[in-house]
């Protein structure tokens, strides 16, 4: 049910009077409401985001809009997504402590979350475009993906709790539909809202004629839509991470749903690969190779941290109904091979989801700035083509990528290629 009846959109002018009466907020930023400074900073596709600064502190105010901001009110979108985002943030904090902003206040009717102002964090995508390195990024993200994947699954949770939670998030119906269309379907035909760099037209036509590719992507959509292995962030790209030089936090889980364990880490990897392929559009030869190497090292280390953390949780927190100790250790049988099988399965799915995300960000709606900021469209198209070509290989030949080393060497190979 959507709680839109008394919903009122916030604005820079109305925030002091509307939020200044709330104890939870006043204690965070000060009661001298007339001195509050409010700025709208939302640059995402969906929501309003304000920084509200007072004499006693600063908070972020995020409010869902009843339509897709990127497109306008011709595309309505339920406000209830803020409820699911809030629920997801609570679980992520529990499962991966310290990884998300602290929440100070939530109002379901107003689709409003007031949370910690992360400072001096900025959106990771901006840092990747600017060629900045972030220390500890791979550890934070590898552990976040492993902890949320493991602790949100029936490897760890009691089956009744996990199944009830699947029921809770099943109410977020319209949000997965966006991913189902924009990520898995629209890129592979001439859908109405699609956009692409014009120089790619011929290349894209051939891609859309690839029946094996479409079929394989639809198989992954079936998995995404039907498989409830764990609670996903659901939209884990470099715009959903805020970083300083050495600290990173995950934001924006409004696309939360239960789904396959390889989805989040696959999407994340795709966004690092797009950062990698787009680098020639952002820097000179002098820094290029070194920075691209740093991105690939980051991908490698994310998987290393993911695997290490997952194995650690397997040993120490395997309390769910899946692969129970009663069946392995209690019988004097090792479960190590079983754990490696699960990790292989996650890797295979991650590789396919990665290829699909690499496609949708250049073929469908909602492109990313990594490529979009490259003004020379012929250069942009040649870099996007490398990204698309590698995506095809990942989707069709996912079984040949057994480890992250194969993934990064494949990226180096496609980075040398000329595909248009
Ligand atoms: C219409 S929403 C487009 C995209 O923005 C969000 O950040 C998700 O990535 C979604 O696919
Ligand atoms: Mg988002």
């Amino acid at each position: 049910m959507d709680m839109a009846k008394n919903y009122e959109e916030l604005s820079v002018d109305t925030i002091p009077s509307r939020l200044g009466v709330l104890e939870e907020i006043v204690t965070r930023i000060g009661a001298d409401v007339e001195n509050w400074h409010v700025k709208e900073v939302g640059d995402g596709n969906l929501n309003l985001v304000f920084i509200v600064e007072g004499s006693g502190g600063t908070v972020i105010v995020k409010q869902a809009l009843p339509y897709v901001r990127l497109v306008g009110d011709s595309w309505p979108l339920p406000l209830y997504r803020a409820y699911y985002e809030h629920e997801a943030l609570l679980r992520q904090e529990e499962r991966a402590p310290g990884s998300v902003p602290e929440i100070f206040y939530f109002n379901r009717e107003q689709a409003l979350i007031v949370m910690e102002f992360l400072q001096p964090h900025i959106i990771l995508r901006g840092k990747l475009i600017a060629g900045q390195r972030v220390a500890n990024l791979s550890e934070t993200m590898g552990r976040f993906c492993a902890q949320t994947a493991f602790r949100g699954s029936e490897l760890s949770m009691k089956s009744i709790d996990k199944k009830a939670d699947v029921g809770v998030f099943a109410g977020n119906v319209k949000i997965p539909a966006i991913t189902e269309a924009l990520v898995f379907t629209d890129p592979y035909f001439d859908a109405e809202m699609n956009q692409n760099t014009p120089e790619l037209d011929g290349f894209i036509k051939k891609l859309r004629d690839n029946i094996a590719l479409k079929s394989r992507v639809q198989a992954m959509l079936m998995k995404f839509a039907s498989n409830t292995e764990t609670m996903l962030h659901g939209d884990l790209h470099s715009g959903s991470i805020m970083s300083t030089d050495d600290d990173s936090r995950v934001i924006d889980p409004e696309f939360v749903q239960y789904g396959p364990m390889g989805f989040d880490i696959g999407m994340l990897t795709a966004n690092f690969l797009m950062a990698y392929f787009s680098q020639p559009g952002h820097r000179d030869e002098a820094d290029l190779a070194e920075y691209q190497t740093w991105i690939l090292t980051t991908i490698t280390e994310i998987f290393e941290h993911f695997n290490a953390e997952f194995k650690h949780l397997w040993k120490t927190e395997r309390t769910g109904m899946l692969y129970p100790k009663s069946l392995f250790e209690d019988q004097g049988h090792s479960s190590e091979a079983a754990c490696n099988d699960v990790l292989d399965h996650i890797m295979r799915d991650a590789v396919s989801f990665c290829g699909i995300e690499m496609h949708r960000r250049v073929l469908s709606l909602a492109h990313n700035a990594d490529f979009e900021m490259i003004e020379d469209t012929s250069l942009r198209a040649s870099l996007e083509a490398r990204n698309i070509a590698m995506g095809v290989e990942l989707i069709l030949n996912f079984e040949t990528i057994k480890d992250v080393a194969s993934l990064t060497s494949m990226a180096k190979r496609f980075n040398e290629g000329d595909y248009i």
Side-chain angles (χ1 to χ4, degrees):
M1 182 183 51
D2 212 355
M3 315 280 285
K5 218 170 79 193
N6 298 312
Y7 170 86
E8 261 182 76
E9 212 172 292
L10 288 164
S11 71
V12 168
D13 296 333
T14 60
I15 279 192
S17 60
R18 287 185 58 195
L19 303 190
V21 292
L22 299 168
E23 187 60 27
E24 299 91 329
I25 297 174
V26 163
T27 53
R28 296 284 170 183
I29 52 179
D32 50 340
V33 172
E34 61 290 351
N35 295 322
W36 285 10
H37 182 252
V38 185
K39 202 159 99 189
E40 211 275 315
V41 292
D43 61 354
N45 297 327
L46 301 176
N47 306 296
L48 290 171
V49 182
F50 302 91
I51 295 175
V52 186
E53 192 182 350
S55 55
T58 305
V59 297
I60 288 289
V61 173
K62 177 172 180 182
Q63 188 181 37
L65 286 165
Y67 53 85
V68 175
R69 182 176 184 162
L70 174 71
V71 175
D73 54 13
S74 60
W75 187 349
L77 202 60
L79 296 170
Y80 58 60
R81 65 186 189 274
Y83 165 73
Y84 296 105
E85 174 167 358
H86 176 249
E87 291 293 309
L89 284 164
L90 297 178
R91 284 158 184 72
Q92 288 171 340
E93 179 55 29
E94 207 179 290
R95 293 169 190 168
S99 62
V100 298
E102 189 184 345
I103 299 169
F104 302 139
Y105 174 78
F106 171 63
N107 185 316
R108 189 170 181 176
E109 189 172 59
Q110 298 303 325
L112 176 69
I113 306 173
V114 180
M115 63 190 120
E116 182 183 357
F117 173 52
L118 299 172
Q119 203 187 24
H121 299 68
I122 63 163
I123 290 290
L124 175 63
R125 198 183 300 284
K127 284 188 170 285
L128 297 173
I129 292 169
Q132 295 167 8
R133 289 166 174 74
V134 177
N136 309 314
L137 176 62
S138 52
E139 178 168 4
T140 305
M141 294 315 302
R143 283 166 57 91
F144 173 84
C145 289
Q147 290 173 344
T148 53
F150 191 94
R151 292 179 172 149
S153 79
E154 282 162 298
L155 288 166
S156 157
M157 287 175 85
K158 281 206 187 88
S159 214
I160 47 166
D161 295 339
K162 187 262 181 175
K163 287 177 168 76
D165 217 37
V166 171
V168 169
F169 287 97
N172 202 14
V173 281
K174 290 245 173 127
I175 302 299
I178 295 178
T179 306
E180 288 155 13
L182 294 190
V183 177
F184 289 93
T185 310
D186 290 4
Y188 302 101
F189 78 108
D190 188 17
E192 202 185 328
M193 290 185 297
N194 285 350
Q195 298 158 15
N196 64 259
T197 308
E199 288 87 337
L200 284 174
D201 280 351
F203 187 62
I204 293 174
K205 164 101 184 64
K206 275 193 231 136
L207 176 110
R208 290 185 176 146
D209 284 341
N210 187 334
I211 301 171
L213 179 74
K214 291 195 281 192
S215 173
R216 176 72 203 136
V217 172
Q218 288 300 298
M220 292 313 292
L221 171 56
M222 183 149 67
K223 204 173 246 196
F224 174 72
S226 332
N227 169 321
T228 61
E229 283 170 5
T230 194
M231 191 194 84
L232 306 178
H233 176 284
D235 195 25
L236 194 55
H237 53 75
S238 51
S240 298
I241 300 168
M242 296 195 70
S243 301
T244 64
D245 292 345
D246 60 4
D247 181 62
S248 296
R249 307 275 200 100
V250 178
I251 61 167
D252 267 6
E254 70 202 304
F255 282 70
V256 56
Q257 68 171 73
Y258 273 80
M261 287 191 183
F263 186 78
D264 282 344
I265 193 166
M267 297 286 266
L268 182 63
T269 303
N271 280 270
F272 279 113
L273 286 172
M274 288 185 276
Y276 171 78
F277 284 121
S278 64
Q279 287 304 317
H282 302 302
R283 56 198 30 78
D284 301 337
E285 285 292 329
D287 317 321
L288 182 60
E290 243 184 75
Y291 193 64
Q292 282 188 310
T293 300
W294 179 78
I295 296 175
L296 293 188
T297 304
T298 301
I299 295 174
T300 303
E301 290 177 358
I302 287 175
F303 277 92
E304 286 169 358
H305 286 293
F306 179 90
N307 289 341
E309 183 66 14
F310 197 93
K311 284 181 181 174
H312 169 71
L313 296 171
W314 182 276
K315 281 200 188 112
T316 56
E317 295 187 18
R318 212 167 80 250
T319 50
M321 63 91 171
L322 291 174
Y323 300 85
K325 293 202 166 159
S326 55
L327 210 55
F328 291 91
E329 286 79 356
D330 294 356
Q331 307 299 327
H333 298 160
S334 167
S335 66
E336 208 182 319
C339 180
N340 288 333
D341 278 353
V342 172
L343 285 169
D344 285 349
H345 150 81
I346 294 173
M347 182 74 188
R348 279 196 301 275
D349 282 358
V351 163
S352 303
F353 290 128
C354 175
I356 296 166
E357 169 74 357
M358 287 162 83
H359 284 171
R360 76 91 167 214
R361 291 288 184 191
V362 295
L363 300 174
S364 173
L365 182 74
H367 288 208
N368 58 25
D370 309 64
F371 288 121
E372 287 303 290
M373 279 181 60
I374 303 172
E375 279 172 21
D376 173 350
T377 57
S378 104
L379 172 63
R380 188 204 302 161
S382 68
L383 303 177
E384 288 178 323
R386 292 174 177 174
N387 171 69
I388 296 172
M390 176 162 172
V392 173
E393 180 91 3
L394 292 178
I395 295 164
L396 291 179
N397 296 325
F398 65 98
E399 272 170 315
T400 63
I401 320 273
K402 301 237 184 280
D403 53 30
V404 68
S406 330
L407 188 78
T408 53
S409 27
M410 186 190 277
K412 284 186 207 152
R413 177 158 57 84
F414 279 94
N415 190 50
E416 300 296 319
D418 187 3
Y419 299 94
I420 51 170

